Amino acid sequence: MTGPVLTVQDLRVSFATPQGLVSAVDGVSLSVGAGEIVGLVGESGCGKSTLANALLGLLPSGAQVSGTALLDGGQLLGLEEGRLGRLRGDRISMVFQDPATSLDPTFSVGEQVAETIRAHRRVSRRDARAQAVRLLSEVGIPDAARRYGDAPHRFSGGMRQRIVIAAALANQPAVLIADEPTTALDVTIQAQILSLIAGLCRDQGTAVLLITHDLGVVAQICDQVGVMYAGQLVEEAPVHRLFADPQHPYTRALLGALPTGDTMPGGLTVIPGQVPDLSGPLPGCRFLDRCPQARDECPTRPEPVTVGETRVACWDVSARLVPERAPS
């Protein structure tokens, strides 16, 4: 694996609302390398999808975005629409949560994949069609040549998601952002889609940013994982380290709420309270009001510290790293 293909530094996204300024993403930094799958997890409303949409320039015009996002060393944020449009679907692509709304019901699935190719490559309609059929076949659409002209509604949810992935990968992007790609699918189809994404990452060297709330999905295919809470990245670690030795109280609570084969009735963790209102006054650590390890320092935002292979922003962890003073 080479250096990072996508590097995000101090990304901030806020929205002006009648209730005040909502800080949806607050100083997030991460990177994804070629052939690497990085998971981004957290409760709904923690800013994961907002971060992804900011990278692709898909936020409403009133959004205030700052920071740095480098794709192959070039800045993504603030690009004018024409240049950004040439990158979207070419060097960076996205698979959205709901395949039913990602596909246009008035065009055949094959035409939609072929159009993605022709939007970025100088190829004939015949060649684009041949490439689209090949892609549909590669993502597991049976008899792809015959089904090229079928409308999206003639496919199951799992097959529609495969078609969306085919379109996203049509131009062999350097980065694939998959935003909850298996949310609406049953567990069997979910496993097939995850296997497909992992295989494409391995075979084509695609850098994948996988957004999910499902830690089981993260454990299955991710190399690295970042935990987001209320717009902030609170913990980053290799996936095996996060599950073996979680550092942040929020990460431990999420893992405690994950059902396992030996979970006893009533044994799952319940995180008290709820994600804070991002339009109101916010503490330094936004998990403060729900945290069992809260300290006097927590109203001030903690700086990330390193614990082995883990980066974590938590005052309780920081305190444990400081050697105790010898008695005078």
Side-chain angles (χ1 to χ4, degrees), residues 235-254:
E235 185 164 356
E236 304 169 79
V239 68
H240 68 275
R241 178 52 52 194
L242 185 96
F243 280 81
D245 189 21
Q247 295 293 315
H248 198 281
Y250 179 59
T251 307
R252 291 197 293 271
L254 288 178

Side-chain angles (χ1 to χ4, degrees), residues 5 13 56 58 60 84 97 122 130 172 205 234 245 255 265 303 306 308:
V5 179
V13 180
L56 276 79
L58 298 177
L84 190 55
Q97 295 184 26
R122 291 186 176 181
Q172 296 185 320
V234 298
D245 189 21
L255 289 171
E303 292 296 324
T306 300

Side-chain angles (χ1 to χ4, degrees), residues 160-298:
R160 284 197 295 264
Q161 193 65 291
R162 290 172 184 269
I163 294 161
V164 170
I165 292 172
L169 295 170
N171 295 302
Q172 296 185 320
V175 176
L176 175 68
I177 300 175
D179 186 4
E180 303 276 11
T182 61
T183 295
L185 307 178
D186 64 54
V187 291
T188 301
I189 303 302
Q190 173 179 287
Q192 294 173 0
I193 295 297
L194 293 175
S195 177
L196 172 62
I197 291 174
L200 292 167
C201 177
R202 179 184 63 248
D203 297 340
Q204 299 185 12
T206 307
V208 177
L209 179 61
L210 177 66
I211 296 170
T212 181
H213 63 272
D214 190 336
L215 284 164
V217 168
V218 169
Q220 185 174 342
I221 69 168
C222 289
D223 303 299
Q224 295 278 136
V225 57
V227 180
M228 281 191 73
Y229 182 76
Q232 297 177 347
L233 194 62
V234 298
E235 185 164 356
E236 304 169 79
V239 68
H240 68 275
R241 178 52 52 194
L242 185 96
F243 280 81
D245 189 21
Q247 295 293 315
H248 198 281
Y250 179 59
T251 307
R252 291 197 293 271
L254 288 178
L255 289 171
L258 184 66
T260 62
D262 57 356
T263 299
M264 298 297 291
L268 295 178
T269 298
V270 175
I271 307 176
Q274 59 186 1
V275 178
D277 180 358
L278 299 182
S279 65
L282 294 167
C285 175
R286 295 181 176 180
F287 194 56
L288 170 61
D289 292 340
R290 309 172 74 185
C291 182
Q293 276 83 48
R295 303 170 60 91
D296 292 342
E297 302 92 337
C298 293

Side-chain angles (χ1 to χ4, degrees), residues 13-217:
V13 180
S14 57
F15 302 91
T17 72
Q19 290 73 39
L21 194 66
V22 174
S23 179
V25 178
D26 186 10
V28 172
S29 299
L30 56 85
S31 63
V32 191
E36 182 180 35
I37 303 178
V38 173
L40 199 58
V41 301
E43 292 171 89
S44 296
C46 283
K48 306 183 299 297
S49 295
T50 299
L51 183 150
N53 287 326
L55 297 179
L56 276 79
L58 298 177
L59 293 174
S61 58
Q64 302 172 28
V65 182
S66 65
T68 301
L70 302 179
L71 174 63
D72 292 331
Q75 174 68 285
L76 278 174
L77 304 182
L79 281 181
E80 57 93 14
E81 182 59 30
R83 292 180 61 193
L84 190 55
R86 288 191 290 273
L87 289 173
R88 284 195 301 250
D90 185 13
R91 297 299 295 158
I92 183 168
S93 292
M94 188 163 176
V95 176
F96 296 91
Q97 295 184 26
D98 186 359
T101 59
S102 299
L103 295 168
D104 190 327
T106 63
F107 291 89
S108 76
V109 296
E111 288 173 328
Q112 295 182 61
V113 176
E115 180 59 26
T116 302
I117 298 169
R118 297 188 70 239
H120 297 280
R121 301 288 184 269
R122 291 186 176 181
V123 297
S124 66
R125 290 185 180 276
R126 175 177 293 182
D127 288 343
R129 179 188 177 103
Q131 291 181 43
V133 169
R134 175 180 56 79
L135 284 162
L136 291 171
S137 179
E138 287 179 354
V139 298
I141 302 299
D143 201 3
R146 182 180 64 82
R147 304 213 64 184
Y148 177 96
D150 285 352
H153 73 269
R154 300 192 63 185
F155 294 84
S156 67
M159 287 298 172
R160 284 197 295 264
Q161 193 65 291
R162 290 172 184 269
I163 294 161
V164 170
I165 292 172
L169 295 170
N171 295 302
Q172 296 185 320
V175 176
L176 175 68
I177 300 175
D179 186 4
E180 303 276 11
T182 61
T183 295
L185 307 178
D186 64 54
V187 291
T188 301
I189 303 302
Q190 173 179 287
Q192 294 173 0
I193 295 297
L194 293 175
S195 177
L196 172 62
I197 291 174
L200 292 167
C201 177
R202 179 184 63 248
D203 297 340
Q204 299 185 12
T206 307
V208 177
L209 179 61
L210 177 66
I211 296 170
T212 181
H213 63 272
D214 190 336
L215 284 164
V217 168

